[in-house]
Amino acid sequence: MPRPRSTPEVSLPISSSRSLHAMFQLLIAIICRVVTIETWRKISLFVALPACAIVGYVSLKEEFEHIHHVEHDPPTFTAYPYLHVRKRKFPYGDGDHTPFWNPIMNPEPED
């Protein structure tokens, strides 16, 4: 004999207190996430950005002092045998300098 068709059951929570507990846990998790996001946002704005600005200011100040010193007292060229060995010209610029050549920091060889 065929079984009678039954209507699908809707799954309901076992007890309303358990469902209420789960809802409170979800609410607490959402609040903690918002608090955490706000806390890290405040740390980023009021701690990290000023720290980066201070470190940038100090490092740029020291770098400008170094550049000023090098402009007034440029380094001298020391002729080592492995320097300025050119079998062919570089395919860019004037052919004698690399892309990283700096006229302030890299002295020219005296011919």
Side-chain angles (χ1 to χ4, degrees), residues 17-46:
S17 66
R18 183 175 282 179
S19 137
L20 189 60
H21 180 68
M23 190 170 29
F24 278 127
Q25 281 184 335
L26 180 64
L27 183 63
I28 290 171
I30 290 171
I31 290 171
C32 287
R33 179 180 171 137
V34 168
V35 169
T36 305
I37 290 171
E38 285 301 313
T39 302
W40 280 109
R41 182 176 170 270
K42 289 176 185 173
I43 289 172
S44 297
L45 290 176
F46 300 117

Side-chain angles (χ1 to χ4, degrees), residues 35-106:
V35 169
T36 305
I37 290 171
E38 285 301 313
T39 302
W40 280 109
R41 182 176 170 270
K42 289 176 185 173
I43 289 172
S44 297
L45 290 176
F46 300 117
V47 175
L49 287 178
C52 288
I54 291 168
V55 169
Y57 174 75
V58 170
S59 63
L60 279 176
K61 182 179 151 192
E62 290 179 8
E63 184 64 25
F64 286 141
E65 288 174 1
H66 176 67
I67 290 173
H68 181 72
H69 165 73
V70 169
E71 286 175 348
H72 292 294
D73 187 23
T76 58
F77 181 77
T78 306
Y80 292 108
Y82 54 84
L83 291 178
H84 283 276
V85 176
R86 306 281 192 262
K87 297 197 188 276
R88 60 182 181 192
K89 290 187 174 237
F90 290 119
Y92 39 78
D94 63 355
D96 192 37
H97 300 107
T98 68
F100 306 105
W101 184 79
N102 181 353
I104 297 171
M105 292 299 298
N106 304 116

Side-chain angles (χ1 to χ4, degrees), residues 1-16:
M1 176 171 213
R3 293 178 138 186
R5 287 187 165 186
S6 62
T7 59
E9 293 182 17
V10 177
S11 62
L12 296 173
I14 297 171
S15 70
S16 62

